[in-house]
Amino acid sequence: MQYFYIHPLRPQFFFPKGFIKHKVFISFYKPYSPFGYISWFLFRNIGIYRLFFLKRNIENYIPEIHIRKILNTEAPMAFNMGTKGREQKITALGFDKKQYFFIKYAQTQISRELVSNEYNILNRLAIYDFVPKIISFYQDKNEILLKTSVLKGERVNTVKINQLILNRLYDLAQVNIDNLCNKYKKIKYSFAHGDFCPWNMMDYNGNIQIFDWEMAGVYPLGFDLFTFIYQTNFLLNPEKIFSVILEENELFILEYFHKYGVKDWKLYLIHFCEIKINSEKKKGVNSMLNQYKLLLQYSYS
């Protein structure tokens, strides 16, 4: 099957011939930089331009044949090979039997653990209307593949908290998870998505829907709130100073913690930073690690 890749400097996202007919396929890639917007516009709208990025075989990047064998399908699929490393996962959107589906495929130990966690979380959250539904699940000692439904809507494109996002944060904090108990004394804990960023969210007629649940679990209260505020800005606006980020979101921070009877919300920001610092150390991502270290220092001021 023929594929076209984006973006131009490195093959990562692969779109099948005829993808332009599928709005869901088009939503698979979301540019956040000026260069990304330009290249994506050209890619979507100019067929001759796409020919420069044609791949007749993507097996050097993605084990397409093997994945299709597990799924037992020849359906058109758009692939993302993911970021190389211990947590690398291949994701894809497909269209089969008049419905869209989404998959995650993992082979490394850490990535398999993450996908397995997502499977367990989605099972627990099956009663909620803002999460994908599980279609199938395959696992052996070397690989794991999770297939789910596809959420409707438009990708969230704001980097600032708004009332719709805040209301969804309230919903998440109320989720009852079995291992959330009262052993935590100094601060409050709650269920959280763990990677609550705009690229993991869809707006469907004002209903915020969320995917990519592999990091979900029990975290200090406000973990998702601070993830949206700081992680999003660190990745998309790395030069923005902390005081400006805080000023843009402080009213929502105060509203959120007031709801749960917390006065010293900076204590929760400190715990958030400490968790992120430990996580980034394990990943070896120095740019983000330095940002969180500086944010931790700022939190004490």
Side-chain angles (χ1 to χ4, degrees):
M1 186 176 294
Q2 293 183 350
Y3 288 89
F4 307 97
Y5 66 87
I6 181 85
H7 76 58
L9 299 182
R10 57 186 175 91
Q12 178 177 344
F13 285 83
F14 298 88
F15 292 87
K17 185 177 181 180
F19 78 93
I20 204 71
K21 298 183 296 184
H22 298 270
K23 185 178 180 181
V24 170
F25 283 177
I26 294 173
S27 70
F28 193 40
Y29 177 77
K30 178 68 176 179
Y32 287 95
S33 68
F35 175 78
Y37 276 107
I38 294 171
S39 62
W40 182 227
F41 176 84
L42 295 173
F43 187 84
R44 288 195 334 265
N45 294 287
I46 304 176
I48 295 177
Y49 176 82
R50 287 196 295 273
L51 291 177
F52 288 101
F53 310 104
L54 174 66
K55 292 287 185 183
R56 299 186 183 277
N57 186 334
I58 60 173
E59 288 294 320
N60 289 335
Y61 306 92
I62 291 167
E64 179 198 9
I65 297 173
H66 182 64
I67 290 174
R68 288 186 179 279
K69 184 177 180 180
I70 295 174
L71 293 170
N72 189 28
T73 184
E74 291 298 323
M77 297 173 66
F79 289 93
N80 175 9
M81 67 177 291
T83 303
K84 291 184 178 181
R86 295 183 300 169
E87 296 185 8
Q88 181 178 10
K89 294 168 291 293
I90 294 170
T91 58
L93 280 172
F95 183 71
D96 193 19
K97 298 177 182 178
K98 297 183 179 181
Q99 68 174 2
Y100 292 98
F101 63 86
F102 177 79
I103 70 159
K104 274 190 178 181
Y105 175 77
Q107 292 179 301
T108 70
Q109 180 179 346
I110 293 178
S111 64
R112 295 199 312 269
E113 290 172 356
L114 290 170
V115 177
S116 178
N117 181 62
E118 180 163 7
Y119 171 70
N120 293 328
I121 292 294
L122 289 179
N123 268 318
R124 294 187 178 205
L125 299 180
I127 62 172
Y128 295 94
D129 66 356
F130 56 83
V131 302
K133 304 305 178 186
I134 296 172
I135 297 176
S136 64
F137 182 70
Y138 172 84
Q139 182 177 19
D140 63 26
K141 64 179 181 180
N142 298 314
E143 59 188 351
I144 187 170
L145 189 150
L146 173 63
K147 180 181 180 182
T148 70
S149 62
V150 175
L151 297 174
K152 297 180 180 179
E154 301 293 334
R155 195 72 65 91
V156 170
N157 60 7
T158 180
V159 297
K160 300 177 184 177
I161 294 290
N162 58 39
Q163 197 61 51
L164 288 176
I165 294 172
L166 192 68
N167 289 341
R168 186 58 79 217
L169 286 167
Y170 292 150
D171 294 334
L172 290 178
Q174 293 172 4
V175 171
N176 183 24
I177 296 296
D178 294 343
N179 61 355
L180 179 56
C181 58
N182 296 322
K183 66 181 180 179
Y184 306 107
K185 301 297 182 181
K186 294 183 179 180
I187 62 173
K188 297 181 179 181
Y189 280 68
S190 71
F191 175 75
H193 176 270
D195 194 17
F196 193 80
C197 295
W199 44 85
N200 291 330
M201 303 161 65
M202 306 289 285
D203 185 343
Y204 182 54
N205 296 329
N207 180 22
I208 300 298
Q209 304 191 355
I210 312 169
F211 55 93
D212 200 4
W213 291 86
E214 62 187 39
M215 301 296 294
V218 178
Y219 292 88
L221 185 68
F223 187 89
D224 278 347
L225 175 71
F226 291 133
T227 297
F228 189 95
I229 292 171
Y230 288 104
Q231 180 170 309
T232 301
N233 275 289
F234 288 170
L235 288 170
L236 302 183
N237 304 305
E239 302 302 320
K240 186 180 289 189
I241 60 177
F242 298 144
S243 60
V244 173
I245 298 174
L246 177 59
E247 182 179 347
E248 291 176 347
N249 297 279
E250 188 169 16
L251 290 179
F252 288 110
I253 294 174
L254 294 173
E255 179 182 338
Y256 180 87
F257 282 100
H258 176 75
K259 181 178 178 66
Y260 299 104
V262 173
K263 294 182 179 180
D264 186 10
W265 61 264
K266 282 196 173 182
L267 177 62
Y268 290 82
L269 179 58
I270 290 170
H271 281 278
F272 164 78
C273 292
E274 291 173 343
I275 292 172
K276 283 295 187 180
I277 288 171
N278 289 332
S279 175
E280 296 304 311
K281 283 182 178 178
K282 292 179 181 178
K283 294 178 183 178
V285 184
N286 291 328
S287 59
M288 293 288 286
L289 175 61
N290 292 334
Q291 289 278 54
Y292 285 118
K293 284 182 175 179
L294 291 172
L295 179 59
L296 180 60
Q297 296 176 8
Y298 177 80
S299 303
Y300 280 111
S301 61

